[in-house]
Amino acid sequence: MIDSNYKKIKFVLLIILVLNLVVTITKITLGMLTNSSSITADGYHSLSDGLNNVIGVIALSLAFKPADVNHPYGHKKIETISSLFIGFILLVMGFNILKTNITHFNSSDNLNISPLALGIMIATMCINIFVTRYELKKGKELNSSFLISDAKHTQSDVYITISVIISLVAIKFFHLPVYFDNIMSFFVVFFIIKAGIEIIKETTKVLLDTKLINPKEIEKIVLSFDEVQQCHMIKSRGYEDQGFVELHIHVDPNMSVLQAHRLDHAIENKINSELDEKLSVIVHIEPIGHEQ
């Protein structure tokens, strides 16, 4: 059975997709009417947000497929790989914008900017701010790394739109050189590249099975049981909403199988309760004095 979260995440992505398409069409059309290359470019950047939403729906359809014989741990890493893909998109986009700004730094355009055009750009910025906050909120509620990383992507669109508006206002009303918007864009590139690096860093941790929980926290919980003499070889990996823990404990050699079984479940329940996590815990029970 597909995880119920998938339907909720898919619904969020579809809402955001519609909003991103509205913003994209508005910016590209406005860019053509005003002869503003910066607005047009901003529109194509918004288009990338919509493409990410489409990728998300497809990827999450696979990520929430139930575990099978060949994939006993499920398909959730597909979601992580999709998030990693967004991170690389941000890096490529950031460096491309940087390259374009340097190449056309001294170019000048015959801009036709009106107060109405600026008002429309501000309206699209407000939509993007709403999308960012809504998607980030839902991402945290649903523990979706894809929604959270996609929200950061959309946030970069907000920064770009702000820089475009500031540069156009400065050029239109304060008679600053046209290349002023290029200068503002350099700051935008910094935020785009920073967001991309952060996403890649976080998703790589999952793909490399980086430690999820401090072993000392788990050891403290496990040693609180009187039956446990020692606890070692503690390992953890996974995601915020689905983690895996493996550990070894030493107990009295005379403990019965039934007692060991009950202790196993008690340890798992207490770890999940005290750490407030959804963890699959595997406890290797060994008789004291017989380490492996």
Side-chain angles (χ1 to χ4, degrees), residues 243-247 264 267-269 271-272 279-283:
F244 302 92
V245 174
E246 184 177 344
L247 58 97
D264 183 338
I267 290 174
E268 179 176 1
N269 291 335
I271 289 176
N272 276 289
L279 301 170
S280 175
V281 182
I282 297 177
V283 181

Side-chain angles (χ1 to χ4, degrees), residues 82-92 192 195-197 199-200:
S82 300
S83 300
L84 183 64
F85 181 68
I86 290 180
F88 282 117
I89 287 179
L90 286 174
L91 287 184
V92 172
I192 294 175
I197 292 174
I199 292 172
I200 292 173

Side-chain angles (χ1 to χ4, degrees), residues 122-181:
I122 292 174
T124 61
M125 181 188 67
C126 292
I127 293 176
N128 281 333
I129 292 174
F130 167 78
V131 168
T132 300
R133 293 183 176 180
Y134 173 71
E135 189 172 20
L136 188 59
K137 177 183 177 182
K138 290 298 181 180
K140 292 179 179 179
E141 288 179 1
L142 301 173
N143 288 315
S144 172
S145 61
F146 186 90
L147 287 181
I148 293 174
S149 62
D150 191 47
K152 292 181 180 179
H153 187 187
T154 305
Q155 189 175 44
S156 70
D157 195 35
V158 174
Y159 294 137
I160 289 178
T161 303
I162 290 175
S163 69
V164 170
I165 292 173
I166 291 176
S167 62
L168 293 178
V169 168
I171 294 169
K172 176 70 176 179
F173 299 104
F174 296 95
H175 308 293
L176 292 181
V178 174
Y179 59 74
F180 181 72
D181 65 334

Side-chain angles (χ1 to χ4, degrees), residues 6 11 15 29 34 39 63 86 111 137 142 169 174 177 195 222 256 259 271 289:
Y6 163 67
F11 179 72
I15 291 177
T29 302
T34 59
I39 295 179
I86 290 180
L111 299 179
K137 177 183 177 182
L142 301 173
V169 168
F174 296 95
V222 175
S256 68
Q259 289 174 319
I271 289 176

Side-chain angles (χ1 to χ4, degrees), residues 57-223:
V57 172
I58 296 173
L60 294 177
S61 298
L62 299 174
F64 281 105
K65 286 176 61 179
D68 53 39
V69 176
N70 294 322
H71 305 89
Y73 291 99
H75 303 77
K76 193 170 177 59
K77 279 192 177 179
I78 295 177
E79 181 182 4
T80 305
I81 294 172
S82 300
S83 300
L84 183 64
F85 181 68
I86 290 180
F88 282 117
I89 287 179
L90 286 174
L91 287 184
V92 172
M93 182 190 311
F95 285 114
N96 282 338
I97 294 174
L98 180 62
K99 179 181 177 181
T100 300
N101 287 344
I102 294 175
T103 303
H104 301 284
F105 189 81
N106 292 318
S107 64
S108 60
D109 297 318
N110 184 22
L111 299 179
N112 183 24
I113 302 300
S114 66
L116 176 61
L118 293 173
I120 293 175
M121 286 297 293
I122 292 174
T124 61
M125 181 188 67
C126 292
I127 293 176
N128 281 333
I129 292 174
F130 167 78
V131 168
T132 300
R133 293 183 176 180
Y134 173 71
E135 189 172 20
L136 188 59
K137 177 183 177 182
K138 290 298 181 180
K140 292 179 179 179
E141 288 179 1
L142 301 173
N143 288 315
S144 172
S145 61
F146 186 90
L147 287 181
I148 293 174
S149 62
D150 191 47
K152 292 181 180 179
H153 187 187
T154 305
Q155 189 175 44
S156 70
D157 195 35
V158 174
Y159 294 137
I160 289 178
T161 303
I162 290 175
S163 69
V164 170
I165 292 173
I166 291 176
S167 62
L168 293 178
V169 168
I171 294 169
K172 176 70 176 179
F173 299 104
F174 296 95
H175 308 293
L176 292 181
V178 174
Y179 59 74
F180 181 72
D181 65 334
N182 295 100
I183 296 175
M184 293 298 297
S185 295
F186 287 132
F187 292 97
V188 176
V189 170
F190 167 77
F191 289 109
I192 294 175
I193 294 177
K194 180 175 180 290
I197 292 174
E198 288 177 350
I199 292 172
I200 292 173
K201 181 180 178 181
E202 292 303 314
T203 53
T204 301
K205 286 182 181 179
V206 175
L207 294 175
L208 295 179
D209 290 331
T210 303
K211 175 181 65 180
L212 183 65
I213 303 171
N214 188 336
K216 293 296 183 182
E217 294 183 48
I218 298 175
E219 181 182 29
K220 181 179 179 181
I221 296 172
V222 175
L223 291 179

